[in-house]
């Protein structure tokens, strides 16, 4: 049994979809981001953010994880039958690590510059420049991903993986004046294919959008 802590339209979406892909039993716990995090939640995730995952492994053992990329890879390894990631040690697995790290460290971080510019400067008058710089980097990074998805349609060619689930989450983030996935043909194709998957549709129903 898994427990996933999430908020709407957050990076927990990919982890939620991965759980749906595995067919495993899980319980969702929505975190109220308008309130101060409880001590109990901070014991799961000291950053106070989402997602957080608890895996009740049996015999009283449980594993607690946070960070989207780590959770996605963990679920892929725990459920190899779901085929969410390539075989460990393969070249494809290396590329999977690369793109998950890239999206977490570079692309998602640049989106955060629009949503939370105050995290990147103590100068209130400088927040506009932070947002503009984030938009510039998102354009550069999306252009890089666009090239990586050719011929595609997935990061790993014809093979769907957790990398595509991560990217799908980012496809839903549209800050004003930021580049859109629709402006990149391969990105738009990837997002549409991932969104059409039954597991992703089930996740979206819970997230409030039955496409």
């Amino acid at each position: 049994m898994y427990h996933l802590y999430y908020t709407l339209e957050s990076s927990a979406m990919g982890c939620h979809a991965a759980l749906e892909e595995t067919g495993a039993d899980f319980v969702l716990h929505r975190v109220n981001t308008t309130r101060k995090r409880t001590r109990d939640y901070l014991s799961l995730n000291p950053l106070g953010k989402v997602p957080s995952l608890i895996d009740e492994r049996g015999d009283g053992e449980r594993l607690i994880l946070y960070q989207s990329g780590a959770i996605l890879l963990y679920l892929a390894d725990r459920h190899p039958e779901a085929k969410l990631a390539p075989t460990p040690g393969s070249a494809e697995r290396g590329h999977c690590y690369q793109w998950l790290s890239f999206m977490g460290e570079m692309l998602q971080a640049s989106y955060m510059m629009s949503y939370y510019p105050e995290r990147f400067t103590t100068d209130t008058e400088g927040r506009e420049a932070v947002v503009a710089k984030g938009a510039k980097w998102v354009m550069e990074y999306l252009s890089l991903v666009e090239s990586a998805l050719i011929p595609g349609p997935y990061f790993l060619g014809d093979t769907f993986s957790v990398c595509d689930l991560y990217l799908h989450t980012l496809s839903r983030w549209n800050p004003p004046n930021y580049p859109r996935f629709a402006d990149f043909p391969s990105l738009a194709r990837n997002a549409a294919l991932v969104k059409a998957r039954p597991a992703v549709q089930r996740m979206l129903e819970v997230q409030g959008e039955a496409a």
Side-chain angles (χ1 to χ4, degrees):
M1 172 68 74
Y2 295 101
H3 295 264
L4 179 68
Y5 293 78
Y6 78 105
T7 59
L8 298 178
E9 296 292 339
S10 73
S11 56
M13 293 178 74
C15 302
H16 181 180
L19 284 167
E20 294 283 2
E21 291 276 357
T22 67
D25 292 330
F26 65 93
V27 178
L28 294 172
H29 304 270
R30 186 169 174 179
V31 177
N32 188 337
T33 57
T34 65
R35 297 179 180 176
K36 184 177 180 180
R37 303 299 184 271
T38 65
R39 182 176 298 179
D40 286 344
Y41 188 70
L42 291 174
S43 71
L44 301 178
N45 187 333
L47 299 175
K49 299 181 179 181
V50 294
S52 297
L53 181 79
I54 299 175
D55 179 7
E56 296 178 342
R57 298 168 63 95
D59 297 327
E61 180 187 4
R62 72 174 191 166
L63 175 71
I64 300 172
L65 285 177
Y66 53 92
Q67 298 297 97
S68 299
I71 292 171
L72 288 169
L73 284 171
Y74 177 74
L75 292 173
D77 287 344
R78 285 280 280 165
H79 300 275
E81 71 284 354
K83 298 181 179 179
L84 295 176
T87 304
S90 66
E92 292 79 11
R93 181 71 168 220
H95 288 138
C96 185
Y97 291 142
Q98 171 186 284
W99 288 115
L100 283 176
S101 297
F102 172 81
M103 285 186 281
E105 296 172 9
M106 310 296 286
L107 187 51
Q108 181 173 334
S110 298
Y111 275 112
M112 293 298 98
M113 295 172 72
S114 171
Y115 292 119
Y116 307 104
E118 69 279 3
R119 295 179 181 177
F120 298 88
T121 179
T122 58
D123 179 9
T124 56
E125 295 183 358
R127 292 180 182 179
E128 185 176 338
V130 169
V131 172
K133 188 66 172 181
K136 178 178 182 295
W137 281 342
V138 167
M139 174 62 78
E140 292 177 4
Y141 298 152
L142 290 184
S143 297
L144 180 60
V145 176
E146 173 74 7
S147 297
L149 291 175
I150 298 173
Y154 304 112
F155 274 107
L156 305 179
D158 293 328
T159 304
F160 168 79
S161 73
V162 290
C163 297
D164 305 295
L165 287 177
Y166 202 133
L167 185 62
H168 174 261
T169 296
L170 300 179
S171 75
R172 300 176 59 82
W173 294 355
N174 294 304
N177 302 318
Y178 268 50
R180 300 291 196 265
F181 271 51
D183 298 330
F184 299 87
S186 296
L187 282 164
R189 175 183 60 175
N190 178 279
L193 286 171
V194 175
K195 186 177 180 179
R197 294 179 68 85
V200 176
Q201 285 289 296
R202 292 193 295 273
M203 177 273 291
L204 290 173
E205 288 176 2
V206 174
Q207 293 278 341
E209 180 192 329

